[in-house]
Amino acid sequence: MPALIKICGISSVDALDAAIEARADYFGMVFFPPSPRHVDHHAASALAMRAGVRIGRIGLFVDADDNQIAEGVQAARLDAIQLHGEETPARVAVIKERFGLPVWKAIPVASEKDMGAAAAYEDVADLLLFDAKTPRDAALPGGMGLRFDWNLLGRWRGRSGWGLAGGLSPLNVAGAIAETSAPLVDTSSGVESAPGVKDPQRIRAFCEAARKA
């Protein structure tokens, strides 16, 4: 079965249209002002309306409070909530119960120890998204084009659904799927011409490569 595809950090109509035409399964909207991919609620609502039911809508939040999440959920009519901060398993459980939506939890990975920490989220998250751990002084928790040692995923025997993120591009996504058997792949900076600027041609190339893997 082909890996599912998510294009994260979409903030323009051109990028959204490219993702839909390339048959991506999900697109991500970032609700985190420090990010160059941040969308306000007006823009998110417009993107969600244009997307309709043709592609899944995922909202990315970083250590957000309930009010911030509620505003994003309502504006974008989200299909799932992605948590990309330091949310604890207890916090994930609260969000899942309050909003009644699937919750994806990003797990930053740099070592085998990080893979072990993912087990704490298995019973509360619907999907674990393994992403490269960013440097301590980084301004953003992801979307920096970094990748981790994919061999670490060979030791993962979790029960939850999972996906692979971090440094994926049209050039390496097929190899990543072949090496890890990832059931979902997620890219952001790997399909950009500049930070926050999605390249429709790269989106199409990424989806084509992932589908052929």
Side-chain angles (χ1 to χ4, degrees), residues 12-64:
S12 72
V13 168
D14 287 346
L16 174 59
D17 287 350
I20 292 171
E21 291 167 7
R23 296 186 295 120
D25 299 282
Y26 305 99
F27 81 102
M29 289 170 278
V30 175
F31 297 98
F32 184 56
S35 171
R37 303 166 186 95
H38 171 71
V39 291
D40 61 26
H41 296 140
H42 177 75
S45 179
L47 289 170
M49 185 174 298
R50 187 175 185 87
V53 298
R54 295 179 294 169
I55 186 171
R57 301 177 296 273
I58 314 298
L60 186 154
F61 301 88
V62 180
D63 298 317

Side-chain angles (χ1 to χ4, degrees), residues 145-190:
L146 303 176
R147 58 164 287 184
F148 63 94
D149 181 1
W150 295 333
N151 289 322
L152 294 171
L153 292 170
R155 303 181 179 90
W156 177 249
R157 295 293 182 270
R159 300 183 302 276
S160 298
W162 66 279
L164 175 64
L168 296 179
S169 72
L171 298 178
N172 66 11
V173 66
I177 293 170
E179 184 174 334
T180 67
S181 298
L184 178 145
V185 287
D186 186 341
T187 187
S188 185
S189 61

